[in-house]
Amino acid sequence: MEEQGSRRSTPDDFDFEGAGDEARDWLDTAYGTALGLHGHMGTVHHRRRERGGVSFDRLRIDDPVRFDAEAMPVLVVVDVLEGEIEYTRSSITDRAREGDTVLAAGWGMPFSGGGTGYDVRNTGVSLDVLSAAIADIDPERTSDDLRFHSFVPRSPAAAAQWRAVVDRLGAPVQDDGDPAAQADASRLLAHS
């Protein structure tokens, strides 16, 4: 059997494929926190694209995994492409399967959960981007005022809108173009 190795490319558009402790270390570094990953950690596939304070990740973990993570430095929304995954944060547990969208984590919000093998798209929104979106709505408010009453979209239409915006903004582009346009697109995502 051929030995499994890892692959890496540039930080702005990288790929990783690996298993075990190497995969645990990679994901902890990529997400900027200790994810507390437990389990066999079969093959992990990870790709990230970053644009204007937003990260677009594709993450596939082939085997069952559990996590008990510290808070992340960004707000992370997960779109489940295949499989099932569960997140518990602030004493609320959400189970998501193919086609579902769920807020997994945010700054100051540790989380736990797991899955039996899954393929997800994770969208990370930085505090700066979210703060700018909040200021657009109410200049008197900041991200400190943001409270979530639910970690799932308020309706199927809202979930579909979110996924459509992520599809458009997360698509690979030949030329990243104007930084101001990127900032506007990132704020649109934060508003969504």
Side-chain angles (χ1 to χ4, degrees):
M1 175 183 252
E2 187 176 322
E3 185 173 311
Q4 190 89 12
S6 65
R7 295 180 302 168
R8 294 176 174 92
S9 61
T10 67
D12 289 337
D13 184 9
F14 59 76
D15 289 315
F16 171 84
E17 187 175 301
D21 288 340
E22 182 182 27
R24 284 181 184 87
D25 292 344
W26 176 268
L27 293 174
D28 282 353
T29 300
Y31 288 101
T33 194
L35 295 174
L37 295 163
H38 309 284
H40 171 66
M41 286 302 292
T43 303
V44 170
H45 308 269
H46 181 253
R47 179 185 68 226
R48 172 171 289 169
R49 287 186 173 75
E50 294 186 67
R51 191 170 296 135
V54 177
S55 61
F56 301 93
D57 291 8
R58 177 80 181 265
L59 175 62
R60 187 174 79 221
I61 299 179
D62 294 336
D63 288 344
V65 65
R66 299 288 307 158
F67 41 83
D68 190 15
E70 296 175 4
M72 288 187 177
V74 296
L75 192 76
V76 178
V77 179
V78 177
D79 296 313
V80 181
L81 306 173
E82 258 182 52
E84 294 183 11
I85 195 164
E86 173 183 293
Y87 293 97
T88 300
R89 58 253 164 288
S90 300
S91 302
I92 297 171
T93 298
D94 291 302
R95 289 170 186 81
R97 62 177 195 263
E98 184 176 336
D100 289 340
T101 297
V102 62
L103 175 67
W107 52 91
M109 187 170 51
F111 63 98
S112 62
T116 58
Y118 50 85
D119 188 359
V120 296
R121 176 175 65 183
N122 296 331
T123 304
V125 181
S126 73
L127 181 58
D128 290 342
V129 169
L130 194 58
S131 294
I134 291 168
D136 288 345
I137 296 167
D138 183 349
E140 300 296 315
R141 303 266 180 184
T142 70
S143 58
D144 291 336
D145 298 312
L146 184 63
R147 300 288 179 267
F148 293 98
H149 300 287
S150 173
F151 298 111
V152 296
R154 68 183 179 279
S155 69
Q161 177 186 1
W162 165 262
R163 288 189 297 274
V165 171
V166 173
D167 287 345
R168 183 165 182 261
L169 298 179
V173 293
Q174 296 298 326
D175 179 8
D176 281 343
D178 179 6
Q182 284 183 21
D184 288 345
S186 295
R187 277 208 312 276
L188 170 64
L189 185 70
H191 283 285
S192 295

